[in-house]
Structures are given as C-alpha cells and as structure tokens.
C-alpha cells in the first residue's frame, strides 16, 4: 500500500471490513435532524432551534464515521458542523459559538471530533469561545476513532 | 434469594451480622448509617462495584444467608456499567465537590481551634463566631441549599440515601445551634463537644457524597439535566453574592494561616 506518511489526519488507511457486518440492518431509521442549515458559517445563533438547547458541534467527518450518529448523538440536540482543518475564517467560528453561549443561552455544548490531531482544533475553538463568553456552560468533548468507536468522553 | 435483595440493609444485617463485615470489606459504609433501609439490591447499584467485585460480594453474602446451599446471588440489573474507578464528576457536581474542599479545610482546623480555645477573650470568641458564620452561610445556606433545593429534586427524595443526607444536614444545624448556645453560656465542655460533633459528622457526610452519592447521581443525570443544574447553581451563586463567597474563602485562608503559624511557634518552643 502506498500510504502518504505525513500528516496523520490525511494518512491513507483501508478500513474495509473483512467479514459482513453483523449489525441489525432491518427496519428504517428516521433522521434526527431538526433544522437547516447546519454548517457553522451558515447558521445564525439567533435561530429558534438553538435557544436554550443542548447543542452538538460536530467535525464534518464524524457523521460519516459513527454508525449510530443520529440515534445516539444527534437525537434531542441542535447541531452545527465545521472542519477545523480546512475551513476558512475560524475567528468567526469563535464569535458564533460565543454568541450561542451568551445570546442563544444554550444549555450544553457537546463537541465531537475525530481522533486525528488536527481535529482537536474544534475543541480549542469551543474552549476559546467559552472563555470569552459571559455565561458559563458545561462543554463535553467526545473523540471518535477512524473505526467509529468512541475513544473518550470528557467534560472540558 | 430475591427476598433478601428486596430487604432493607439494616434488617439483613440484624438477622445476619456477618453481612456487616462483608460490606465493610468492600468499603460499603452501611453499618453505621442512621437510616439503613436502603434495599440490598440498591446498595450494589449505588456503589457501582466492578462486576467481579459484585459477584464476589454477593456470593459471600449468599453463603452467610444460606450456609448449606450452594446459592449464587442473582446479578443486579443496572442502568449503566461501571467503567473505571477514577471518579469523573460532571461540571455542576464538580462545583459541589470543590465547595466540599473548602468546607473540609475549615473542618480540619477544628482540633487546632479547640486546642487554642479561649472563650474569655473577645478574639477567642470571634474565631468561633466567624467559624459559625462560615458554616451557616457557606456550608449551609449556600452549599446544603444547593443540594436540598436543587440537586436532590432531580431524584426520588423518598430514597433512603437522600433521606439520610437530609438527616445529616439537620443534625449539623443542631450542632451549630448548640455551639452558639454553649458560647453564650461560656460552657467550654459543651462547646468542644459540639465543635467535634460537627466536624465528625460533616467529614463523614462529605465523604459519602463525594465517593458514593454524587457519582451515583452523575450516572443518572441526562446531558440536559447537567446543563440545567449548572445554570441553576450559577444562579444560586449570584443570589448569595460574590462578596459572601469571597468573605468565606478569605476566612478559611486567614484561619488556616493564623492557626498553622501558632502551631509552628508551639512546636519551636
Ligand atoms: Fe450534603
Ligand atoms: Fe455536600
């Protein structure tokens, strides 16, 4: 395999399953998304679906990785997505999250990121926003492996 | 066997006293508990033992209850599985644990306060009055009120573990009242008795909360409830006022410095 050995965040890995997956594939799962838009540059902290809610700030790749993302993490929450590695204008992100805390008075913030080092930038953005906000709220950081397992779940 | 799982722990211990030793072996402090009507099955849940420890504990208890039969205690169904022994508190619960740390700083000074007790002088009496102010405003009006009026409301208040916490708070209030009365009567013996009584009570109470009650509560709180609690605790802090909290923090720091300095001087001479 000709892998690119530089940044671990872009390193190629073949994660195809050797056997058929054993999970239950019967039935249909409903989407748990209750809003649009979702991208952090596009959303407004003033939107009614953020007011006093539990908000999930998810790195873009997370939803493709965690099999039960909708059922286990999105359900019951409002969401914003971003990529701390590739997105431009990340100072705007800090301001937006600060406004979610101070103006939308969100109840909690859960930050879901991938295990790759550059993804931790999203937690840093959230932390920076919390430090500059007047209100204080609980922030939880959940880190996901490339295989879709939860590696850690900690209060920031 | 199910019959005993659904019995109050005090009943089980009084019929089978050896169960008390087994519980002690696993650091489950039900034996001196004043209420003791928690059900045997709830105790295993609340203490969040690892599955190996739970199995060993239950097998030992079964052997005491049915010495002639090879009975195994059924596994207790729990809401969540224990992960690690290290306690990770949620942010609102962490606030309470941090408040305990300040309260304990004052409690550990009490033996030195007693050692140095002089109720004949204005200064000597002032230290006790200031200590009582700290207990009444910080430990009781602020901290215990957060527990009683906010946190405990998220749980079934008829549970014995919560009733027993309420009882401790009440007993503590009794000691504080007696401390003031003894001081006014200049009754040194009673004063020492209730200062010690308060210290012993609260030390044990805080340990129960930090090690057992809070982790158990944290396991049962949803994310939404964690956020709500955090903001309600912030409101309680605003209500009592920053000045009061800071004054209490200053009092403990000052008392610590004063008493430790005295202790060092005494050691020198
Ligand atoms: Fe308490
Ligand atoms: Fe407490």
């Amino acid at each position: 395999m000709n892998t690119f050995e530089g940044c671990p965040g872009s390193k190629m890995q073949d994660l195809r399953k050797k056997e058929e997956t054993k999970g239950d594939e019967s039935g249909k799962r409903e989407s748990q998304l209750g809003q649009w838009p979702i991208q952090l540059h596009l959303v407004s902290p003033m939107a009614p679906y953020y007011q006093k809610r539990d908000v999930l700030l998810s790195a873009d790749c997370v939803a493709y990785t965690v099999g039960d993302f909708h059922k286990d993490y999105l359900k019951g929450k409002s969401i914003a997505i971003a990529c701390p590695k590739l997105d431009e204008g990340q100072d705007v992100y800090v301001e937006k999250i600060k406004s979610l805390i101070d103006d939308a008075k969100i109840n909690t913030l859960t930050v879901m990121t991938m295990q790759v080092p550059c993804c931790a930038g999203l937690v840093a953005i959230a932390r920076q926003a919390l430090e500059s906000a007047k209100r204080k709220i609980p922030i939880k950081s959940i880190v996901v492996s490339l295989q879709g397992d939860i590696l850690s779940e900690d209060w920031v | 066997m199910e019959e005993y799982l659904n019995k109050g722990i005090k009943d089980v211990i009084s019929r089978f006293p050896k169960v008390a030793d087994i519980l002690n072996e696993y650091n489950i402090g039900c034996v001196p508990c004043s209420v003791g009507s928690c059900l045997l099955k709830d105790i295993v849940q609340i203490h969040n033992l690892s599955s190996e420890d739970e199995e060993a504990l239950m097998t030992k208890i079964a052997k005491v209850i049915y010495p002639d039969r090879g009975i195994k205690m059924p596994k207790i169904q729990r809401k969540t599985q224990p992960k690690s022994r290290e306690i990770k508190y949620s942010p609102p619960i962490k606030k309470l644990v941090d408040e305990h740390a300040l309260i304990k700083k004052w409690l550990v000074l009490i033996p030195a306060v007693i050692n140095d007790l002089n109720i004949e002088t204005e200064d000597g009496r002032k230290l006790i009055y200031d200590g009582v102010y700290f207990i009444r405003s910080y430990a009781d009006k602020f901290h215990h009120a957060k527990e009683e009026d906010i946190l405990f409301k998220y749980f079934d208040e008829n549970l014995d573990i919560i009733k027993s916490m309420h009882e401790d708070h009440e007993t503590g209030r009794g000691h504080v009242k007696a401390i003031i009365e003894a001081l006014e009567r200049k009754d040194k013996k009673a004063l020492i008795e209730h200062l010690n009584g308060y210290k012993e009570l609260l030390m044990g109470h805080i340990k129960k909360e930090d090690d057992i009650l809070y982790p158990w509560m944290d396991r049962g709180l949803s994310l939404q409830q964690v956020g709500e609690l955090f903001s309600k605790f912030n409101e309680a802090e605003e209500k009592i006022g920053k000045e009061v909290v800071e004054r209490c923090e200053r009092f403990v720091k000052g008392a610590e410095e004063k008493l430790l300095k005295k202790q060092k001087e005494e050691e020198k001479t």
Side-chain angles (χ1 to χ4, degrees):
Chain A
M1 193 162 58
N2 179 22
T3 52
F4 167 56
E5 290 293 341
C7 167
S10 335
K11 185 179 161 192
M12 190 206 295
Q13 294 189 48
D14 191 344
L15 303 171
R16 281 175 292 181
K17 302 263 186 321
K18 302 253 169 0
E19 301 158 34
E20 280 291 300
T21 42
K22 292 182 199 86
D24 179 13
E25 297 297 328
S26 64
K28 258 190 163 183
R29 268 159 292 266
E30 251 181 60
S31 166
Q32 298 296 336
L33 185 65
Q35 66 179 77
W36 192 262
I38 58 171
Q39 212 291 330
L40 191 49
H41 275 308
L42 302 179
V43 298
S44 160
M46 294 306 153
Y49 44 78
Y50 285 129
Q51 309 308 309
K52 297 186 176 170
R53 291 292 303 273
D54 295 299
V55 174
L56 176 61
L57 175 64
S58 175
D60 293 348
C61 302
V62 169
Y64 299 100
T65 316
V66 178
D68 281 319
F69 180 77
H70 279 248
K71 173 171 83 65
D72 293 342
Y73 297 97
L74 181 56
K75 192 175 178 182
K77 297 192 196 82
S78 295
I79 190 174
I81 63 165
C83 174
K85 187 180 168 93
L86 304 173
D87 294 354
E88 306 263 321
Q90 299 200 6
D91 41 339
V92 179
Y93 284 169
V94 176
E95 283 307 309
K96 278 220 171 149
I97 298 165
K98 185 181 162 212
S99 174
L100 282 169
I101 298 171
D102 280 339
D103 305 322
K105 298 190 166 44
I106 60 170
N107 189 43
T108 59
L109 184 69
T110 304
V111 188
M112 281 186 95
T113 52
M114 298 301 302
Q115 73 179 121
V116 295
C118 41
C119 213
L122 198 58
V123 181
I125 289 174
R127 192 177 269 152
Q128 213 182 321
L130 180 70
E131 272 161 20
S132 60
K134 282 188 215 81
R135 279 179 78 240
K136 294 291 165 244
I137 57 160
I139 295 188
K140 184 181 256 188
S141 159
I142 301 177
V143 180
V144 177
S145 79
L146 304 189
Q147 289 75 21
D149 301 318
I150 303 302
L151 293 176
S152 65
E153 199 171 324
D154 294 301
W155 296 102
V156 173
Chain B
M1 197 69 254
E2 291 285 340
E3 179 196 345
Y4 288 100
L5 287 174
N6 288 307
K7 265 208 161 40
I9 193 64
K10 273 259 141 97
D11 288 347
V12 178
I13 292 175
S14 70
R15 284 196 60 182
F16 307 100
K18 275 190 185 157
V19 170
D21 302 330
I22 300 170
L23 292 174
N24 279 334
E25 208 183 301
Y26 288 85
N27 285 323
I28 298 179
C30 295
V31 185
C33 174
S34 55
V35 184
S37 50
C38 288
L39 306 181
L40 180 55
K41 64 172 186 199
D42 290 340
I43 284 160
V44 175
Q45 256 257 21
I46 287 168
H47 286 263
N48 205 33
L49 298 174
S50 70
S51 50
E52 302 85 65
D53 280 353
E54 177 189 322
E55 204 178 331
L57 169 85
M58 293 314 247
T59 308
K60 281 182 189 169
I61 293 178
K63 267 189 193 148
V64 170
I65 297 177
Y66 298 108
D68 312 325
R69 291 191 249 164
I71 285 189
K72 267 202 161 189
M73 287 287 232
K75 251 192 166 323
I76 310 298
Q77 289 301 320
R78 342 173 167 212
K79 282 191 199 139
T80 47
Q81 285 300 313
K83 283 177 194 145
S84 70
R85 299 302 293 168
E86 186 208 343
I87 304 174
K88 285 183 189 167
Y89 300 105
S90 67
I93 300 293
K94 179 75 174 42
K95 276 174 185 275
L96 298 177
V97 174
D98 290 345
E99 285 157 19
H100 282 168
L102 187 70
I103 297 169
K104 279 197 287 188
K105 273 191 182 175
W106 167 239
L107 295 177
V108 297
L109 290 177
I110 288 181
V113 171
I114 291 173
N115 196 26
D116 207 42
L117 198 60
N118 186 353
I119 49 176
E120 298 305 326
T121 65
E122 181 84 7
D123 239 24
R125 283 195 299 274
K126 189 175 177 295
L127 180 63
I128 306 294
Y129 279 123
D130 285 351
V132 165
Y133 174 85
F134 170 77
I135 292 169
R136 280 192 167 154
S137 32
Y138 192 87
D140 208 34
K141 224 171 132 194
F142 178 53
H143 177 82
H144 290 159
K146 269 157 93 176
E147 293 175 338
E148 291 182 359
D149 302 339
I150 303 171
L151 177 65
F152 294 175
K153 301 284 178 218
Y154 282 81
F155 298 86
D156 177 0
E157 289 193 275
N158 291 316
L159 280 176
D160 284 297
I161 186 165
I162 296 184
K163 276 195 207 154
S164 135
M165 295 297 117
H166 271 288
E167 234 169 70
D168 283 353
H169 292 174
E170 274 311 316
T171 313
R173 285 168 195 139
H175 280 303
V176 174
K177 195 164 164 260
I179 289 170
I180 292 290
E181 284 167 1
L183 193 59
E184 273 155 16
R185 285 199 313 271
K186 295 202 175 166
D187 180 345
K188 205 170 168 181
K189 191 171 159 261
L191 181 59
I192 292 176
E193 184 193 319
H194 289 289
L195 279 170
N196 271 328
Y198 185 81
K199 183 203 161 214
E200 290 307 315
L201 174 84
L202 254 258
M203 277 297 205
H205 178 79
I206 287 176
K207 189 167 166 40
K208 277 186 266 180
E209 291 186 332
D210 284 354
D211 296 354
I212 298 152
L213 183 77
Y214 289 171
W216 169 73
M217 287 182 157
D218 246 345
R219 291 194 295 276
L221 289 171
S222 67
L223 183 74
Q224 191 190 344
Q225 289 173 326
V226 167
E228 277 172 22
L229 270 177
F230 193 80
S231 90
K232 285 179 185 173
F233 284 175
N234 284 343
E235 280 166 28
E237 276 154 42
E238 273 166 32
K239 205 171 136 201
I240 191 162
K242 230 182 168 180
E243 332 74 61
V244 176
V245 175
E246 282 169 1
R247 183 176 159 190
C248 288
E249 287 167 350
R250 268 200 314 274
F251 159 71
V252 174
K253 205 166 167 246
E256 236 177 1
E257 279 165 8
K258 197 173 141 193
L259 290 161
L260 292 180
K261 202 173 133 200
K262 244 193 182 147
Q263 240 172 20
K264 272 186 192 152
E265 277 167 11
E266 278 169 11
E267 276 166 15
K268 265 189 212 160
T269 53

